[in-house]
Structures are given as structure tokens and as C-alpha cells.
Amino acid sequence: MSTIPQHQTDDRAGESLGAVAAGRAGHNGVLAAMCLALVLVVASVSALNLALPDLALDLSATNGSLTWIADAYTVALAALVLPLGAIGDRLGRRNVLVAGTVVFGAASLAASFADSTTTLIVWRVVMGIGAAMIMPGTLSTITAAFPPEQRAKGVATWSGFAAAGAILGMLAAGTLLEWYSWRSIFVTGAAVALVAALAGILLAPDTKDPHPEPPDVPGAVCTALGIGTLVFAIIEGNEQGWTQPPAVAALVVTVLAFTAYAWLGLRNEHPLLDPALFGIRGFRAGAITVLVQFMAVFGFFFVGLQYLQLILGYSPLKAAVALVPVAVVVLPTSQLTPRLVRRVGMKVTMAAGLALLSAGLFVISRIDVDSGYLPFLGGLVLAGFGIGLSGAVGTSAITGSLGRGRQGVASAMNDTTREVGSAVGIALMGSIYGSHYRSSLPASLDQLPAEAASAARDSAAAGLHVADRLGVGGAALADGVKAAFMDGLSASLVAVGALVLAAAVGCLFRAPRTPPTSD
């Protein structure tokens, strides 16, 4: 009598469970519920960027504090999404997702009452913990509930909303900021979290790994510590200097943590994420593609929105609308990506997407104070095509490298690369921008009262506020602040654009032509 291997039995059992659950809610219902939860998480990464000028004035936040306010959420999400994805595999992905919406909603509501940068950063961390509970279940539920012939389309739709969700979040935030303060963003986030919880309960199947592996606590601690200290080193290194003890110590801990993760993982029978998976060309290429894409996208949002508001003088809503072309391009492009992969192969699609994204960043890096919106739009459209191509194929490469029973970990790995990229991108571009901004400020700044000069050094928003209060005499200061801002913007875009271009070349030569499959 022939026997069926255990992993095939598990995959078929998971496929049957997914089919039954999807049959009750319908594949469209499952997709809608998961994409709503996904947009909640992604929108919260980007939405607050529109409020950075207000936060700089209302909470007296420096450039460094603004970077931490934006990045605290993303660091917590990146550090915990992998172990919490594994917990979802064990306890039920929908159960963990719904619990995450409760944590997220409560923390978001609490953040609306923050009266200092420290308090706001703490609540952003708690929101990130809730987001890390939500995020892995969105993609893994889709891949488990959809049949093989529809899975690529479901993943492509998920990838499109993952990119467009950032724009949707900024549109919502911009609308709120037209009439209310930055606190309304957090109140609205709490309300959407409640809706996402109800949608998950009513529409999504509760899938899980039928044979979960033992928890890998050392692996979870090492990855969380490594990610957190890496971002800390980037931000504080640019703020205080790379030779200062905090930055040096953080870099040492980062190296030790990731080394320990690799060493322990190769010796653990059931690692949280087997380091050997990075030896699979498709898995490695997908992880690199997703990581650098989100590093560029969310780093750009952090500095690009300030350009629209501080240099072009756009209102928060107009600034958000100015980024809509990205979503208009990304969604249809991501839907066409599976067909393009079948026609020209995975590595060409990956490399083309990253090259277009890099080209968009380089175009925007060439603008100056008087360029206006059209050159910015040209770079934005190029980048949008690149995001649509690279995001969908990168995600498919990661999820296709692991079996159906481990889709929670595959999804969490995809989410980890996304959020690590986002956290590093915000930290890297924010820090490069901040250091170049400070060094490019005019020497005449020293002639101002100490408090006014300090405020101008802290952030461009504060510098322009000081210039406005000086009246006619502040015109020269405003020009100097704007020029310094553009120097920082250009330097940060060139640095990240070069990294994305290097990744494109690497994918062209090292990624496999045929995408992996989990069937």
C-alpha cells in the first residue's frame, strides 16, 4: 500500500479547510477582510507623516524625535511580526489577528491623548505590537484559503493594497487634518481597528498549521534585538555621531544578535525562520526585493511629504492627493505582474521593477526649491511602476518558497522584510536628511536669539515658523531653511536610490528565472 507524505497530507487538509471557509464567506469576502486589516496596518506607517510639521510645533519635536515618532511603530512591527506569525500558525491566524486589532485600537486611542514626544513614542510602540499580531494573518489567510489557480491573483491584490494602503492612509489623514488636529488620526485608527475586527470575525476562516513546531524563543529574541538596535544605531549615529558610544554599542549588539540568530537557527531542529532558507535563490531574491522596495517607499514618504508641505506650501490633504498617482499606477501594474512573470521570467520582472523605482528616486533628487510639482510627479510615476512590478513578484517568491502549512511564517517573513525595510528606510533617509539639513543651514542663523536658532536647527518646520514670525526680516532665513531642506532631501534620495539600483543589478544576475511554488 502506498502512503502519502505527511507534508502533502497537511497541505491537502489546509487546502480543504480553506476551501470550506472561503466557500462560506466567498473568496472576495476573505480578500476584503484581509485587505482591510492590511490597510489599517500599512496606513498607520504613513498617515502620521502628514502631521510631522504640526507635531514639530505642537510637541516641540526635533528631527530626531520626529524620526522616532514615525519609526517606533515600524520598529516594533518589524521586530515582532515573525514570532507573532508563528504564534498565529499555532493558535489560529484569525484569532491572533482579531486580538491584534484590540491592542492596536486601544493604543491608538491612548495615543490621541499624548502630551509629549516620549508618551507618543511609547504608544506608537504598543500600536506596532498590535500591528505585528494583525499583519501575518492577512497574507497567510489568503494563501491558505485560495485554491492554487487563484492564489497568484490573491497575492497580487494583497500586494497592490499593501502599497496603495499607504496612500489611502495619507488621504484619510490629510482630510482629517483639514479640520482637526493630528490627534484625530489616532481616534480614526481606533475606529477602523474595530471595523477590521468585525470583518475578520465574520468573513475570514481561522486557519492554522495542523502540526505546529515548538516555539523558538532564542530566535525571536535575537531577531527582535537585532532589528531594534540596527534602527537605533542608524538614527543615533546620524544624530550624535557614528563614533559615539551609543551608536557603536548598538552596532556591536546588532552584529552579535544576527550572528547568534544564524548560529542558533542552523542548530535548532525547529527554528523560527531557518537561516538555510536564504540559500534558496527565489526566497533570497524575494526578501531582498521587498526589503529595498519598502526601504525606498517609506523613507521617501517621510521626507517627500515634508517637501510638498514645507517647500510647495501644500495643505495636508493636497499633499496626500499629490501622491495619489502612485496608487493609480501601482494597483493595475501589480495585477499584470503574474502575466509578465510568465512571459519574461521572475528575475527580469524583479530587476525592471527595482530599476524603475531607483530611476524615480534619482529624478526627484534633481529638483530644487523652484521646480514645482511636475518634475516631482514624473519621478513619482516612474517609481509607481517599479513598486507595482517589484512588490507583487517579491511577495510571490517568498510565499512560494514554503509549504502551505508554513504560510504563517512565509507571510511573517514577507512582512518582516517589508517592515524592516520601512524602519530602516525611515531611519536612513530621515537621518541623512537631518544631518545634511543641519550642516547646510546658513551661518547667519547664529545671529538669531539662541532659542530661535535652536528651533530652526531642530526641524525645517520650526525654522520656517521662526522666519514667519520675523516678518520681512525673516525672508532670508526662510530661503536658507528651504535650501538646506532640499540639500537633505537630495542626499537622502541619492543614497537610497543607489541601494535600490544595486539590488536591481543583483536580482538580474542572481535571481532565478522561474518563480518557486508552494504546491
Side-chain angles (χ1 to χ4, degrees):
M1 183 189 312
S2 63
T3 60
I4 299 174
Q6 182 64 52
H7 72 88
Q8 293 185 16
T9 303
D10 294 345
D11 283 359
R12 291 177 185 179
E15 190 169 323
S16 298
L17 175 61
V20 170
R24 182 183 68 244
H27 289 121
N28 289 337
V30 174
L31 194 60
M34 294 302 98
C35 286
L36 175 61
L38 170 68
V39 168
L40 170 68
V41 172
V42 175
S44 297
V45 178
S46 60
L48 203 59
N49 288 332
L50 280 167
L52 293 178
D54 291 341
L55 287 168
L57 299 178
D58 193 19
L59 299 181
S60 301
T62 65
N63 280 326
S65 296
L66 291 175
T67 303
W68 273 117
I69 289 170
D71 225 5
Y73 171 87
T74 315
V75 170
L77 174 54
L80 297 175
V81 70
L82 192 58
L84 289 174
I87 291 175
D89 284 349
R90 175 181 293 269
L91 301 180
R93 293 153 188 157
R94 185 187 64 188
N95 292 338
V96 174
L97 183 151
V98 171
T101 60
V102 174
V103 174
F104 182 101
S108 185
L109 187 61
S112 69
F113 295 97
D115 57 2
S116 69
T117 56
T118 301
T119 303
L120 184 56
I121 289 169
V122 169
W123 285 120
R124 287 279 285 173
V125 169
V126 180
M127 287 174 64
I129 295 171
M133 299 170 70
I134 298 169
M135 191 96 177
T138 60
L139 181 58
S140 57
T141 297
I142 291 171
T143 55
F146 276 51
E149 64 273 12
Q150 296 185 29
R151 196 176 309 134
K153 185 176 180 180
V155 169
T157 301
W158 181 96
S159 179
F161 272 98
I167 305 298
L168 295 174
M170 287 187 284
L171 284 173
T175 302
L176 290 169
L177 291 172
E178 288 292 306
W179 291 281
Y180 307 105
S181 77
W182 57 267
R183 301 178 189 276
S184 62
I185 296 174
F186 292 103
V187 175
T188 303
V192 175
L194 175 61
V195 176
L198 294 175
I201 293 171
L202 296 174
L203 299 176
D206 190 22
T207 61
K208 63 176 67 176
D209 186 345
H211 297 284
E213 297 173 346
D216 178 18
V217 176
V221 171
C222 288
T223 54
L225 183 62
I227 293 168
T229 53
L230 173 61
V231 172
F232 179 87
I234 292 172
I235 296 176
E236 296 303 317
N238 274 285
E239 283 288 311
Q240 301 181 22
W242 288 100
T243 59
Q244 295 301 307
V248 173
L251 286 173
V252 170
V253 173
T254 298
V255 172
L256 292 176
F258 284 124
T259 301
Y261 153 74
W263 189 84
L264 293 171
L266 291 172
R267 288 158 179 77
N268 189 340
E269 187 176 353
H270 302 288
L272 180 64
L273 178 68
D274 188 354
L277 287 174
F278 290 97
I280 302 172
R281 291 174 65 195
F283 185 91
R284 182 174 63 246
I288 292 172
T289 297
V290 173
L291 182 129
V292 297
Q293 177 204 328
F294 278 83
M295 177 180 67
V297 169
F298 283 93
F300 168 72
F301 285 160
F302 180 77
V303 295
L305 280 168
Q306 294 185 71
Y307 165 77
L308 294 171
Q309 292 179 270
L310 298 178
I311 305 302
L312 298 189
Y314 287 6
S315 68
L317 179 57
K318 188 175 180 180
V321 171
L323 293 179
V324 167
V326 171
V328 172
V329 172
V330 166
L331 283 172
T333 303
S334 64
Q335 291 294 306
L336 293 174
T337 299
R339 186 185 306 172
L340 186 62
V341 169
R342 289 193 296 268
R343 182 179 294 270
V344 302
M346 184 175 76
K347 70 176 182 179
V348 173
T349 306
M350 278 183 174
L354 292 175
L356 285 169
L357 174 56
S358 177
L361 296 176
F362 285 134
V363 167
I364 297 173
S365 74
R366 304 301 300 169
I367 63 178
D368 57 34
V369 173
D370 300 316
S371 293
Y373 176 67
L374 285 181
F376 183 89
L377 176 62
L380 208 59
V381 171
L382 275 176
F385 281 115
I387 294 165
L389 290 176
S390 58
V393 70
T395 295
S396 294
I398 293 172
T399 58
S401 298
L402 298 180
R404 188 183 298 257
R406 298 187 68 195
Q407 282 302 296
V409 171
S411 171
M413 181 58 201
N414 178 70
D415 298 338
T416 299
T417 55
R418 287 165 47 90
E419 303 312 329
V420 169
S422 300
V424 171
I426 293 170
L428 183 61
M429 292 188 73
S431 298
I432 293 173
Y433 151 71
S435 62
H436 278 76
Y437 166 77
R438 287 191 300 273
S439 64
S440 300
L441 285 168
S444 59
L445 192 67
D446 295 332
Q447 299 174 11
L448 295 175
E451 185 177 352
S454 176
R457 291 189 181 95
D458 284 344
S459 69
L464 292 175
H465 180 68
V466 169
D468 185 60
R469 293 180 63 182
L470 291 176
V472 177
L477 174 61
D479 290 341
V481 167
K482 289 180 179 180
F485 176 92
M486 295 307 300
D487 286 344
L489 175 68
S490 178
S492 63
L493 288 171
V494 169
V496 173
L499 290 175
V500 176
L501 183 59
V505 174
C507 286
L508 186 61
F509 287 100
R510 301 297 299 170
R513 185 184 189 283
T514 304
T517 175
S518 60
D519 296 340

